[in-house]
Short mmCIF file of all heavy atoms in Angstrom, two decimals:
data_model
loop_
_atom_site.label_atom_id
_atom_site.label_comp_id
_atom_site.label_asym_id
_atom_site.label_seq_id
_atom_site.Cartn_x
_atom_site.Cartn_y
_atom_site.Cartn_z
N ILE A 607 8.24 0.62 -2.72
CA ILE A 607 8.77 0.84 -4.06
C ILE A 607 9.95 -0.09 -4.31
O ILE A 607 10.68 -0.47 -3.39
CB ILE A 607 9.16 2.31 -4.30
CG1 ILE A 607 10.18 2.80 -3.27
CG2 ILE A 607 7.94 3.20 -4.33
CD1 ILE A 607 10.74 4.18 -3.57
N ALA A 608 10.09 -0.46 -5.58
CA ALA A 608 11.24 -1.24 -6.05
C ALA A 608 12.13 -0.28 -6.82
O ALA A 608 11.68 0.38 -7.75
CB ALA A 608 10.77 -2.38 -6.94
N GLU A 609 13.36 -0.22 -6.39
CA GLU A 609 14.31 0.74 -6.97
C GLU A 609 15.49 -0.03 -7.54
O GLU A 609 16.07 -0.87 -6.85
CB GLU A 609 14.78 1.66 -5.84
CG GLU A 609 15.05 3.05 -6.20
CD GLU A 609 15.31 3.90 -4.96
OE1 GLU A 609 15.75 3.39 -3.92
OE2 GLU A 609 15.08 5.09 -5.07
N THR A 610 15.83 0.27 -8.77
CA THR A 610 17.03 -0.30 -9.39
C THR A 610 17.54 0.67 -10.44
O THR A 610 16.77 1.48 -10.96
CB THR A 610 16.75 -1.70 -10.00
OG1 THR A 610 17.97 -2.31 -10.34
CG2 THR A 610 15.84 -1.63 -11.21
N GLU A 611 18.81 0.61 -10.71
CA GLU A 611 19.41 1.50 -11.70
C GLU A 611 19.05 2.96 -11.44
O GLU A 611 18.75 3.73 -12.35
CB GLU A 611 19.00 1.07 -13.12
CG GLU A 611 19.43 -0.34 -13.45
CD GLU A 611 18.88 -0.84 -14.78
OE1 GLU A 611 18.23 -0.06 -15.52
OE2 GLU A 611 19.10 -2.02 -15.08
N ASN A 612 19.00 3.34 -10.16
CA ASN A 612 18.69 4.70 -9.72
C ASN A 612 17.32 5.21 -10.16
O ASN A 612 17.13 6.40 -10.36
CB ASN A 612 19.78 5.69 -10.18
CG ASN A 612 21.09 5.42 -9.50
OD1 ASN A 612 21.14 5.11 -8.32
ND2 ASN A 612 22.17 5.50 -10.26
N GLN A 613 16.37 4.28 -10.31
CA GLN A 613 15.01 4.70 -10.63
C GLN A 613 14.01 3.76 -9.97
O GLN A 613 14.32 2.61 -9.67
CB GLN A 613 14.78 4.74 -12.14
CG GLN A 613 14.83 3.39 -12.81
CD GLN A 613 14.41 3.45 -14.27
OE1 GLN A 613 13.64 4.32 -14.67
NE2 GLN A 613 14.89 2.52 -15.06
N ILE A 614 12.81 4.29 -9.77
CA ILE A 614 11.73 3.46 -9.24
C ILE A 614 11.14 2.69 -10.42
O ILE A 614 10.72 3.29 -11.41
CB ILE A 614 10.65 4.32 -8.55
CG1 ILE A 614 11.26 5.09 -7.37
CG2 ILE A 614 9.49 3.45 -8.08
CD1 ILE A 614 10.30 6.08 -6.73
N VAL A 615 11.13 1.36 -10.31
CA VAL A 615 10.69 0.52 -11.43
C VAL A 615 9.40 -0.24 -11.12
O VAL A 615 8.85 -0.91 -11.98
CB VAL A 615 11.79 -0.46 -11.87
CG1 VAL A 615 13.02 0.32 -12.34
CG2 VAL A 615 12.15 -1.44 -10.76
N GLY A 616 8.94 -0.14 -9.88
CA GLY A 616 7.71 -0.82 -9.50
C GLY A 616 7.26 -0.37 -8.12
O GLY A 616 8.01 0.28 -7.39
N TYR A 617 6.00 -0.70 -7.83
CA TYR A 617 5.46 -0.34 -6.51
C TYR A 617 4.37 -1.32 -6.12
O TYR A 617 3.82 -2.05 -6.94
CB TYR A 617 4.92 1.09 -6.51
CG TYR A 617 3.54 1.24 -7.12
CD1 TYR A 617 2.40 1.29 -6.31
CD2 TYR A 617 3.36 1.30 -8.49
CE1 TYR A 617 1.14 1.41 -6.86
CE2 TYR A 617 2.11 1.43 -9.04
CZ TYR A 617 1.00 1.48 -8.23
OH TYR A 617 -0.25 1.59 -8.78
N LEU A 618 4.06 -1.29 -4.86
CA LEU A 618 2.92 -2.02 -4.31
C LEU A 618 2.32 -1.15 -3.23
O LEU A 618 3.05 -0.69 -2.35
CB LEU A 618 3.38 -3.36 -3.73
CG LEU A 618 2.28 -4.28 -3.20
CD1 LEU A 618 2.67 -5.74 -3.37
CD2 LEU A 618 1.92 -3.98 -1.78
N SER A 619 1.03 -0.90 -3.32
CA SER A 619 0.38 -0.10 -2.27
C SER A 619 -0.64 -0.96 -1.54
O SER A 619 -1.26 -1.85 -2.13
CB SER A 619 -0.28 1.15 -2.85
OG SER A 619 -1.41 0.81 -3.62
N LEU A 620 -0.75 -0.68 -0.27
CA LEU A 620 -1.73 -1.33 0.59
C LEU A 620 -2.52 -0.22 1.28
O LEU A 620 -1.93 0.64 1.92
CB LEU A 620 -1.05 -2.18 1.68
CG LEU A 620 -0.20 -3.34 1.21
CD1 LEU A 620 0.63 -3.89 2.36
CD2 LEU A 620 -1.07 -4.44 0.61
N GLU A 621 -3.83 -0.25 1.10
CA GLU A 621 -4.67 0.74 1.75
C GLU A 621 -5.64 0.04 2.68
O GLU A 621 -6.42 -0.81 2.27
CB GLU A 621 -5.44 1.59 0.75
CG GLU A 621 -6.18 2.73 1.42
CD GLU A 621 -6.73 3.75 0.45
OE1 GLU A 621 -6.35 3.73 -0.73
OE2 GLU A 621 -7.54 4.59 0.90
N ARG A 622 -5.55 0.41 3.95
CA ARG A 622 -6.34 -0.21 5.00
C ARG A 622 -7.80 0.23 4.92
O ARG A 622 -8.09 1.36 4.56
CB ARG A 622 -5.75 0.20 6.34
CG ARG A 622 -6.31 -0.51 7.52
CD ARG A 622 -5.55 -0.14 8.78
NE ARG A 622 -5.42 -1.36 9.55
CZ ARG A 622 -4.43 -1.64 10.35
NH1 ARG A 622 -3.45 -0.80 10.51
NH2 ARG A 622 -4.40 -2.77 11.01
N GLY A 623 -8.71 -0.69 5.28
CA GLY A 623 -10.12 -0.35 5.35
C GLY A 623 -10.33 0.82 6.30
O GLY A 623 -9.78 0.84 7.41
N ALA A 624 -11.10 1.80 5.90
CA ALA A 624 -11.23 3.05 6.65
C ALA A 624 -12.12 2.94 7.88
O ALA A 624 -11.98 3.73 8.81
CB ALA A 624 -11.77 4.14 5.73
N PHE A 625 -13.02 1.97 7.90
CA PHE A 625 -13.98 1.87 8.99
C PHE A 625 -13.62 0.71 9.90
O PHE A 625 -12.97 -0.25 9.51
CB PHE A 625 -15.39 1.71 8.42
CG PHE A 625 -15.75 2.83 7.47
CD1 PHE A 625 -15.75 2.63 6.10
CD2 PHE A 625 -16.03 4.10 7.95
CE1 PHE A 625 -16.05 3.65 5.23
CE2 PHE A 625 -16.32 5.14 7.09
CZ PHE A 625 -16.33 4.91 5.72
N ARG A 626 -14.06 0.80 11.17
CA ARG A 626 -13.67 -0.20 12.17
C ARG A 626 -13.97 -1.63 11.73
O ARG A 626 -13.17 -2.53 11.97
CB ARG A 626 -14.38 0.08 13.50
CG ARG A 626 -13.60 1.08 14.34
CD ARG A 626 -14.31 1.35 15.62
NE ARG A 626 -15.00 2.63 15.35
CZ ARG A 626 -15.93 3.16 16.09
NH1 ARG A 626 -16.35 2.55 17.16
NH2 ARG A 626 -16.46 4.31 15.79
N ARG A 627 -15.09 -1.83 11.08
CA ARG A 627 -15.48 -3.20 10.71
C ARG A 627 -14.61 -3.79 9.60
O ARG A 627 -14.63 -5.01 9.41
CB ARG A 627 -16.95 -3.24 10.31
CG ARG A 627 -17.85 -3.00 11.49
CD ARG A 627 -19.30 -3.12 11.13
NE ARG A 627 -20.11 -2.94 12.34
CZ ARG A 627 -21.42 -2.96 12.34
NH1 ARG A 627 -22.09 -3.16 11.22
NH2 ARG A 627 -22.07 -2.80 13.46
N ILE A 628 -13.89 -2.97 8.89
CA ILE A 628 -13.00 -3.48 7.84
C ILE A 628 -11.55 -3.01 8.03
O ILE A 628 -10.73 -3.10 7.12
CB ILE A 628 -13.51 -3.11 6.43
CG1 ILE A 628 -13.65 -1.60 6.26
CG2 ILE A 628 -14.80 -3.85 6.11
CD1 ILE A 628 -13.89 -1.14 4.84
N HIS A 629 -11.23 -2.54 9.21
CA HIS A 629 -9.88 -2.03 9.48
C HIS A 629 -8.83 -3.14 9.48
O HIS A 629 -7.63 -2.86 9.39
CB HIS A 629 -9.87 -1.27 10.82
CG HIS A 629 -8.71 -0.36 10.98
ND1 HIS A 629 -8.48 0.74 10.16
CD2 HIS A 629 -7.68 -0.38 11.86
CE1 HIS A 629 -7.39 1.34 10.54
NE2 HIS A 629 -6.88 0.70 11.55
N HIS A 630 -9.26 -4.38 9.52
CA HIS A 630 -8.35 -5.53 9.49
C HIS A 630 -8.02 -5.95 8.07
O HIS A 630 -7.29 -6.92 7.85
CB HIS A 630 -8.96 -6.71 10.25
CG HIS A 630 -10.21 -7.23 9.59
ND1 HIS A 630 -11.42 -6.56 9.65
CD2 HIS A 630 -10.41 -8.34 8.84
CE1 HIS A 630 -12.32 -7.25 8.96
NE2 HIS A 630 -11.74 -8.33 8.46
N THR A 631 -8.53 -5.22 7.06
CA THR A 631 -8.29 -5.56 5.66
C THR A 631 -7.46 -4.47 4.97
O THR A 631 -7.45 -3.32 5.39
CB THR A 631 -9.62 -5.70 4.87
OG1 THR A 631 -10.23 -4.42 4.76
CG2 THR A 631 -10.56 -6.68 5.53
#
């Protein structure tokens, strides 16, 4: 999260591949 002026103003999420063959993504 990006926080400024005592509020969250942005975010970035990363979700890993759930299965072994794509766990590197």
